């Protein structure tokens, strides 16, 4: 490991670490887009709008499971490193039960609160019905599918990274097949899209549990035990990712409410197309950053600052090239992108969505910088700074500018919010990076 992280050519190191992780992310997140294409193409803009309306609430539920999984992974890895294997197993077993309990609670809340929340956000009766049927499927499956998010972390701790990738790909493929079967062949309504996703993730949960039951992994199920101190550490270690996830979800809820007031269901459906594209883009950027984090952390511990600069330079170049490429594709080919989601070639939806993508596309020129900056600070063991950057980028700046811009520019103001926010974020990120490298070199 020492020679690999410290002596390998920085460009080769980048290729070996980043590209496989990015390739895996492409496959995993592609099914999310395909899911949206099936809904938009075969069920229409109202179904796309309804799915977008409840998706932030679903993501908040998953963020809770992710917080426990990420936070406990740190504690489990530390105890394994100290040779306290039984303690690590006890923490692992406790967290599986804790996630199951949390998922049951979130499932109950989701089942009964979806309709009141959709009414509160200003949805019409059709959207209320569609969003409720979609959300209630997720609510029923919640205890079984939220564990899939957690098990991925525990498989990696046990060295089952390839198996974890195979599970993710299997989930993606099964979801695509079930989407086609339920929506295209059986011609079921929106609930079937949720059913396809949940069945795919349930399969992922089963496949993830199999090695822990039948294989001789270092983590095994045993009597769950945990101290209050460790529980606090788990929540603290996972809080950065949790608040990053829910802040973007809360902003999406706010944007959805504003869009419904300004332009109704079609604007909401157009926003869902933006979210699919931006989620896919950010997933690739984050997968690259996560793949390079161990190399940066290792060289930070080794006090090899020049090496850190070389690695970061390649991450910076790759991110900027990727962001620019997505901008060009979105700006010039937005008509083709929208057509994938457009049932019966609805003219009004096409016009709104194409205009939305064209205006939003400028944000891709800069949005990668904040993500890169937050991940870089995590690798340098600065979790609070990483959290602050994530909160500013995904919630604070968009929250402020969507109020101002939508007031003065209406619908166009909503689409431009991200770009204006990212301009300010670029100045903040650049200043913090300059200060950090200055401190590292001093």
């Amino acid at each position: 490991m020492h020679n690999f992280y410290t002596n390998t050519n920085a460009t080769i190191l980048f290729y070996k670490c980043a590209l496989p992780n990015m390739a895996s992310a492409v496959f995993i997140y592609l099914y999310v887009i395909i899911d949206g294409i099936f809904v938009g193409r075969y069920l229409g803009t109202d179904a796309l709008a309804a799915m977008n309306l409840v998706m932030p609430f679903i993501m908040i539920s998953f963020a809770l499971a992710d917080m426990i999984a990420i936070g406990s992974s740190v504690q489990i890895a530390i105890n394994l490193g100290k040779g306290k294997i039984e303690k690590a197993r006890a923490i692992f077993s406790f967290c599986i039960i804790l996630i199951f309990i949390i998922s049951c609670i979130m499932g109950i809340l989701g089942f009964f609160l979806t309709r009141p929340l959709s009414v509160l956000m200003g949805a019409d009766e059709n959207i209320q019905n569609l969003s409720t049927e979609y959300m209630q499927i997720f609510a029923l499956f919640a205890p079984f599918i939220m564990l899939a998010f957690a098990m991925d972390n525990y498989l990696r701790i046990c060295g089952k990274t390839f198996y974890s990738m195979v599970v993710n790909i299997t989930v993606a493929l099964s979801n695509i097949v079930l989407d086609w079967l339920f929506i295209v062949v059986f011609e079921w309504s929106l609930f079937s899209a949720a059913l396809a996703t949940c069945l795919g993730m349930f399969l992922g949960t089963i496949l993830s549990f199999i090695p822990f039951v039948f294989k001789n992994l270092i983590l095994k199920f045993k009597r769950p035990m945990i101290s209050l101190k460790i529980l606090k550490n788990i929540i603290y270690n996972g809080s950065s990712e949790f608040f990053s996830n829910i802040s973007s979800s809360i902003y999406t809820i706010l944007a959805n409410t504003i869009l419904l007031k300004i332009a109704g269901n079609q604007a909401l459906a157009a926003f869902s197309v933006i979210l699919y594209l931006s989620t896919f883009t950010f997933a690739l950027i984050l997968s690259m950053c996560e793949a390079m984090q161990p190399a940066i952390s290792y060289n930070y511990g080794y006090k090899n600052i020049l090496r850190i600069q070389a690695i970061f330079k390649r991450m910076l170049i790759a991110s900027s090239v990727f962001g620019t490429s997505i901008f060009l594709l979105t700006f010039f080919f937005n008509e083709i992108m929208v057509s994938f989601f457009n049932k019966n070639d609805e003219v009004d939806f096409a016009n709104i969505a194409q205009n939305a993508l064209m205006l939003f596309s400028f944000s891709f020129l800069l949005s990668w910088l904040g993500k890169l900056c937050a991940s870089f600070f995590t690798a340098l063991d600065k979790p609070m700074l990483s959290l602050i950057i994530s909160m500013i980028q995904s919630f604070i700046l968009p929250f402020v500018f969507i109020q101002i811009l939508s007031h003065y520019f209406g619908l166009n103001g909503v689409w431009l919010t991200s770009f204006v926010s990212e301009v300010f974020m670029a100045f903040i990120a650049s200043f913090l990076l300059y200060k950090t490298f200055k401190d590292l070199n001093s």
Side-chain angles (χ1 to χ4, degrees):
M1 184 180 286
H2 173 76
N3 290 333
F4 179 65
Y5 284 148
T6 58
N7 297 341
T8 307
N9 177 276
T11 303
I12 294 173
L13 177 70
F14 178 82
Y15 288 146
K16 285 188 174 181
C17 291
L19 291 185
N21 213 39
M22 292 177 75
S24 180
V26 166
F27 208 100
I28 293 164
Y29 280 88
L30 196 59
Y31 93 81
V32 177
I33 295 177
I34 292 172
D35 191 50
I37 290 172
F38 272 115
V39 171
R41 191 76 182 170
Y42 292 96
L43 300 179
T45 52
D46 275 8
L48 201 60
M51 193 164 69
N52 180 32
L53 193 72
V54 296
M55 193 55 69
F57 299 104
I58 294 170
M59 296 314 297
I60 289 171
S61 299
F62 285 135
L64 283 167
D66 217 25
M67 177 182 71
I68 302 299
I70 292 169
S72 63
S73 295
V74 174
Q75 295 299 313
I76 289 167
I78 288 171
N79 280 285
L80 288 175
K82 291 178 179 179
K84 298 179 179 179
I85 296 173
E86 291 303 310
K87 187 176 181 180
R89 290 172 177 173
I91 296 170
F92 163 67
S93 301
F94 175 85
C95 289
I96 294 295
I97 294 171
L98 180 61
I99 291 168
F100 180 78
I101 293 169
I102 289 171
S103 63
C104 288
I105 295 168
M106 296 306 293
I108 293 168
L109 291 174
F111 191 89
F112 291 105
L113 294 182
T114 304
R115 187 175 293 275
L117 286 170
S118 62
V119 171
L120 190 65
M121 294 172 70
D124 62 33
E125 190 174 352
N126 186 40
I127 297 296
Q128 289 172 31
N129 294 333
L130 288 168
S131 60
T132 301
E133 73 173 63
Y134 185 83
M135 183 64 165
Q136 286 183 341
I137 296 294
F138 268 95
L140 291 171
F141 275 88
F144 311 105
I145 62 175
M146 283 172 66
L147 283 166
F149 273 65
M151 299 309 291
D152 191 53
N153 292 273
Y154 302 136
L155 283 168
R156 285 200 296 268
I157 289 175
C158 296
K160 292 287 184 180
T161 51
F162 179 76
Y163 183 81
S164 175
M165 184 186 76
V166 170
V167 170
N168 287 328
I169 291 173
T170 303
V171 169
L173 287 174
S174 63
N175 189 19
I176 292 168
V177 172
L178 290 171
D179 265 332
W180 172 78
L181 189 65
F182 294 164
I183 297 173
V184 181
V185 178
F186 296 162
E187 297 183 350
W188 289 348
S189 62
L190 184 59
F191 81 91
S192 64
L195 184 61
T197 301
C198 290
L199 288 174
M201 292 182 68
F202 185 38
L203 175 63
T205 301
I206 294 169
L207 293 174
S208 296
F209 266 92
I210 286 173
F212 293 101
V213 177
F214 297 105
K215 299 289 184 180
N216 189 28
L217 302 186
I218 194 165
L219 290 180
K220 300 178 187 296
F221 295 108
K222 61 165 291 180
R223 185 182 177 187
M225 290 180 65
I226 198 168
S227 68
L228 187 60
K229 181 183 177 183
I230 293 174
L231 182 59
K232 286 180 180 178
N233 286 335
I234 286 171
I235 294 170
Y236 175 74
N237 288 326
S239 62
S240 175
E241 286 77 8
F242 173 71
F243 284 114
S244 296
N245 287 332
I246 67 162
S247 61
S248 58
S249 295
I250 291 170
Y251 169 70
T252 303
I253 293 168
L254 172 67
N256 285 341
T257 306
I258 291 172
L259 286 169
L260 280 171
K261 287 180 180 177
I262 295 174
N265 300 347
Q266 290 186 329
L268 197 61
F271 189 44
S272 71
V273 178
I274 287 175
L275 290 176
Y276 283 123
L277 183 62
S278 60
T279 300
F280 179 73
T281 303
F282 294 152
L284 289 183
I285 297 290
L286 290 173
S287 66
M288 177 200 71
C289 293
E290 287 170 2
M292 300 310 298
Q293 276 181 352
I296 294 170
S297 299
Y298 189 94
N299 283 283
Y300 180 64
Y302 196 62
K303 305 297 182 186
N304 192 344
I305 308 305
L306 290 175
R307 182 71 168 173
I308 292 173
Q309 290 174 330
I311 294 169
F312 183 78
K313 180 182 177 182
R314 280 148 184 83
M315 293 170 68
L316 193 70
I317 292 170
S319 299
S320 61
V321 169
F322 182 67
T324 303
S325 301
I326 296 295
F327 159 71
L328 292 171
L329 283 170
T330 309
F331 187 83
F332 290 107
F333 299 102
N334 53 73
E335 184 177 352
I336 296 172
M337 291 178 176
V338 171
S339 67
F340 285 116
F341 298 86
N342 195 357
K343 183 184 181 183
N344 302 326
D345 298 322
E346 294 179 39
V347 177
D348 289 343
F349 170 67
N351 291 336
I352 291 173
Q354 286 169 34
N355 181 58
L357 278 177
M358 187 179 68
L359 294 177
F360 186 88
S361 66
F362 290 96
S363 67
F364 291 121
L365 292 169
L366 297 169
S367 56
W368 53 269
L369 184 57
K371 306 290 182 186
L372 177 64
C373 194
S375 180
F376 183 62
F377 288 131
T378 297
L380 295 179
D381 195 27
K382 301 178 187 294
M384 287 308 297
L385 192 54
S386 174
L387 173 61
I388 290 167
I389 290 168
S390 296
M391 291 286 285
I392 291 172
Q393 182 180 28
S394 59
F395 182 68
I396 296 172
L397 288 176
F399 181 86
V400 171
F401 285 115
I402 196 171
Q403 311 273 7
I404 297 169
L405 295 174
S406 65
H407 177 74
Y408 288 102
F409 301 104
L411 195 56
N412 286 341
V414 178
W415 310 138
L416 285 169
T417 292
S418 184
F419 174 62
V420 175
S421 300
E422 296 301 347
V423 170
F424 280 81
M425 188 67 231
F427 284 107
I428 296 168
S430 299
F431 169 75
L432 292 172
L433 285 171
Y434 169 78
K435 190 174 182 301
T436 300
F437 277 114
K438 187 178 179 181
D439 292 341
L440 288 173
N441 286 305
S442 62

